Structures are given as C-alpha cells and as structure tokens.
C-alpha cells in the first residue's frame, strides 16, 4: 500500500527529462539523481507521462524512490501557470485528452514561432525537429537548441533572454486549460496538485488571494515556494497565504539537465510534506527502488 513503505531524503519533486525539455533521457536523469545523492525524486515532464515507465525501471535498479508526476501547462489570460501533479492515474481519459490537446497546441505554436523567427534568422522547422525526440512535448527550449545549433545564441539561456523572450516579438502563447480546471482534472484522477514556482514574475500577479482561495476549494495541495525563480517579496506573501489556507510548501530544483543552470537537490521538500502528499495520491504508487 502506498505510504507504508519508506522513502529517503533528500527529496526533489521537480525534474525534466528528454520526454519534454530536459536534456537527459528518463534513465539518465534517474541515475543523475542517484549520483547527486537524492533519496527521492519526482519526474515532472511538461504535459506528458511518457517517461514514467523508463524512469521507474531505472529507479527499481538503483534504490531511489520515484514519485511519478507531470508539470501541467495551464493559463490565465496570456500568462502560463504551471501545475505540478503527482501520483495521478496516467490512463485517466480526461487527463489523457487534455494533455494531448496541450501537446498538439504546443507543436502548432512552436511552428508558428519558428516561422516568424525564420523571417529574420536562417532557422527552419527541420532545425527544431532535429533537436527533439519523437513524441517529446515541444517547447521554446527546443527552438533555443536549434538557435544554438545555428549559431544565433551560445546557450539556451541566452536564446531565452533574447530571441525567445516574450517581448522580443516572436513569442506566442499556446492553448492550456485554466488552473482551476487542471486541479479538478488532477484530483479526479487521484492526483495531488501543487502550483509550480508561484512567486515568479507575472504568476503571482494573476493569483491574488481570491483566486488562490478558489484553487484551494478545488483541491490545491501546495505551493512550490522553494524554487530559484521565485521572487522574495511574492514568496513572503505566499508563505503567509499558505499558512492561512493550510497549503503545504514544497521545494525543488526544476532540473533540466544541461539546459538550465538549476542543479538537482538545490531545493528540497520536507519529509512530512511528502508523507502527506503520498497519503493523498491514489492514482499511482511511488516506486520504492
Ligand atoms: P515554453 O513552455 O515552451 O514557453 O518554454 C518555457 C520552458 O522553458 C519552461 O519550462 C522553462 O523551464 C524552460 N527552460 C529550459 N531552459 C531554460 C532556460 N535556459 N531559460 C529559461 N527557460 C528555460
Ligand atoms: Fe521546462
Ligand atoms: Fe515550470
Ligand atoms: Zn519545470
């Protein structure tokens, strides 16, 4: 039964593999987590559970505890809000339908962005496809890799700060559900929802207390307040609201392999928070490797 077996620390609940925009395969990612000294990790690719099987198979051979998860793209007007979802049923029909819709919208959006960029830089959709693996959730990081390959940026981060920045003129949003609906979908599939990096620029403006209260009513479990991109003032405000609404606080790296400076285990989650999360997650079991 979930929750009775023991997990070990340190606990990092937010990582990406090549199934979305991380640079390592799920197996390589799990081995990297073991090498980094983690006792527990969650795999949270964008809008996809395609890496769960491979990550679980590797976790079983290494002794790390794996929490299957996903980072669900949601949207409030033009702002993207990321929802971490843990231990939900990956075959739940509503989740499968919604995440395929989001992945398809991401693909069309990436093609349109590349078309616009292509008017000013020698970049083609084929260049971007060369940077993705089949079925991967496509995002700006893959366009960034193509820009790097073409010599228009030195690193992913430089591409994000320049050509791919939202105000550079090429940015475009993509379809994603409202966070309230995503929370309902995750809970209906037995999962546990946590807002990712909620104190980053913009996100905290679109989640005033009144909206947060509605998300809590819909089943929000926690806020990822320990994350390098959270801003101090917004973070302090959200710590107060977490206390007021009984929300749990998580800490994670948001590791993307070599694609981002974030290092595994740079922020961690308290064991009692993971314990509560595992108790509430009924759609999938942790893998106790
Ligand atoms: P998108 O969701 O397509 O708009 O792209 C945003 C994603 O790029 C987020 O998930 C970020 O974590 C990811 N990302 C990966 N590497 C970087 C980087 N070096 N700088 C900024 N964002 C990055
Ligand atoms: Fe990402
Ligand atoms: Fe995110
Ligand atoms: Zn992430």
């Amino acid at each position: 039964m979930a929750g009775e077996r023991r997990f070990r620390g340190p606990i990092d609940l937010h990582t990406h593999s090549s199934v979305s925009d991380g640079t390592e395969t799920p197996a390589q990612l799990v081995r990297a987590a073991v090498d980094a000294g983690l006792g527990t990790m969650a795999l949270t690719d964008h809008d996809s559970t395609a890496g769960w099987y491979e990550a679980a198979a590797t976790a079983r051979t290494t002794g790390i505890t794996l929490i299957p998860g996903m980072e669900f793209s949601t949207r409030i007007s033009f702002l993207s809000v990321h929802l971490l979802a843990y231990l939900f049923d990956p075959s739940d029909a509503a989740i499968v339908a919604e995440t395929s819709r989001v992945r398809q919208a991401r693909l069309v959006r990436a093609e349109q962005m590349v078309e616009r960029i292509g008017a000013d830089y020698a970049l083609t959709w084929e260049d971007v496809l060369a940077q993705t693996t089949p079925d991967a959730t496509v995002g700006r990081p893959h366009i960034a890799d193509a820009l790097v390959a073409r010599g228009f940026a030195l690193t992913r981060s430089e591409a994000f700060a320049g050509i791919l920045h939202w105000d550079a003129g090429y940015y475009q949003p993509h379809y994603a559900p409202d966070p309230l609906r995503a929370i309902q979908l995750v809970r209906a599939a037995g999962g546990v929802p946590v807002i990712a990096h909620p104190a980053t620029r913009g996100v905290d403006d679109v989640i005033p207390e009144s909206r947060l209260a509605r998300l809590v009513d819909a089943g929000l479990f926690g806020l990822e307040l320990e994350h390098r991109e959270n801003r101090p003032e917004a973070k302090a405000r959200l710590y107060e609201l977490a206390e007021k609404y009984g929300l749990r606080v998580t800490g994670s790296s948001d590791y993307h392999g070599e694609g981002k400076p974030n290092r595994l285990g740079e922020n961690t989650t308290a064991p009692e928070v993971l314990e509560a999360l595992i108790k509430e997650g009924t759609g999938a079991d942790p893998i106790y490797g």
Side-chain angles (χ1 to χ4, degrees):
M1 285 262 282
E4 290 176 2
R5 300 275 305 275
R6 284 311 299 170
F7 53 80
R8 286 181 311 280
I11 301 159
D12 186 341
L13 296 181
H14 187 166
T15 71
H16 295 266
S17 78
S18 53
V19 161
S20 61
D21 54 5
T23 56
E24 293 159 347
T25 64
Q28 288 168 338
L29 170 64
V30 172
R31 278 186 220 108
V34 173
D35 291 345
L38 294 179
T40 302
M41 65 168 291
L43 173 66
T44 54
D45 278 309
H46 296 283
D47 310 306
S48 175
T49 61
W52 285 17
Y53 186 84
E54 182 183 317
T58 309
R60 282 194 188 92
T61 67
T62 58
I64 199 170
T65 295
L66 174 75
I67 307 294
M70 178 177 85
E71 190 172 12
F72 205 156
S73 301
T74 80
R75 182 177 157 180
I76 299 174
S77 62
F78 285 97
L79 226 123
S80 79
V81 174
H82 289 171
L83 185 76
L84 293 161
Y86 301 105
L87 300 172
F88 59 94
D89 175 1
S91 66
D92 178 85
I95 295 250
V96 168
E98 193 63 23
T99 51
S100 7
R101 184 174 173 195
V102 173
R103 285 199 309 274
Q104 183 57 29
R106 279 175 157 284
L107 199 60
V108 172
R109 169 261 200 164
E111 268 191 88
Q112 289 169 342
M113 279 186 67
V114 169
E115 200 169 310
R116 287 204 229 159
I117 295 170
D120 295 333
Y121 300 87
L123 186 81
T124 66
W125 182 238
E126 283 64 41
D127 294 333
V128 176
L129 285 182
Q131 302 298 328
T132 73
T133 50
D135 301 324
T137 302
V138 175
R140 278 183 291 160
H142 303 100
I143 305 177
D145 291 346
L147 287 166
V148 171
R150 283 275 172 209
F152 296 126
L154 280 176
T155 61
R156 262 192 191 185
S157 296
E158 192 186 303
F160 265 90
I163 298 171
L164 295 176
H165 195 265
W166 62 268
D167 69 359
Y170 307 107
Y171 183 80
Q172 194 168 308
H174 59 80
Y175 165 80
D178 181 275
L180 186 84
R181 177 167 147 69
I183 288 171
Q184 291 166 339
L185 286 171
V186 170
R187 281 294 185 180
V192 186
V194 172
I195 302 180
H197 40 76
T200 43
R201 182 171 294 282
V203 175
D204 101 275
D205 303 326
V206 292
I207 310 188
E209 181 170 355
S210 54
R211 188 187 288 270
L212 187 70
R214 290 199 299 277
L215 299 181
V216 170
D217 286 343
L220 183 65
F221 173 83
L223 298 175
E224 184 190 52
L225 288 181
E226 295 306 321
H227 181 293
R228 68 155 71 200
E229 284 156 47
N230 283 332
R231 295 181 301 165
E233 329 78 65
K235 186 170 148 179
R237 178 184 79 91
L238 289 174
Y239 257 106
E240 283 174 19
L241 292 178
E243 175 84 31
K244 178 168 172 185
Y245 289 93
L247 288 165
R248 306 289 189 149
V249 170
T250 67
S252 313
S253 65
D254 202 358
Y255 178 75
H256 282 69
E258 290 318 302
K260 245 185 154 179
N262 311 34
R263 294 298 92 193
L264 285 163
E266 67 177 30
N267 290 295
T268 55
T269 296
E272 56 272 21
V273 172
L274 178 58
E275 191 134 8
L277 190 155
I278 290 174
K279 273 208 186 94
E280 292 191 22
T282 56
D285 287 328
I287 285 87
Y288 297 97

